[in-house]
Amino acid sequence: MHEMSLPQAILDIIEEHAARHAFTTVNSVRLSFGRLSSIEPKALEFAFEVLSEGTRAAGARLQFDILP
């Protein structure tokens, strides 16, 4: 299920950027992906919410730009 690996990869990227740019909190994450990418936004939101608990992205909102 890629809905678990994608949010983990997003959190890894957030941690990398936080180390470089010294921020402590993430309020939102904007993602762009194609309509045919097989990503289910609701499942991704749920997995991100679960995996982000206790991280600097806890409570962050995912925003989607779904492209044709």
Side-chain angles (χ1 to χ4, degrees), residues 35-57:
R35 195 171 304 281
L36 300 177
S37 64
S38 299
I39 295 172
E40 175 54 48
K42 294 289 183 198
L44 183 57
E45 286 174 331
F46 176 75
F48 183 82
E49 181 180 333
V50 170
L51 291 175
S52 66
E53 287 183 24
T55 72
R56 67 187 79 235

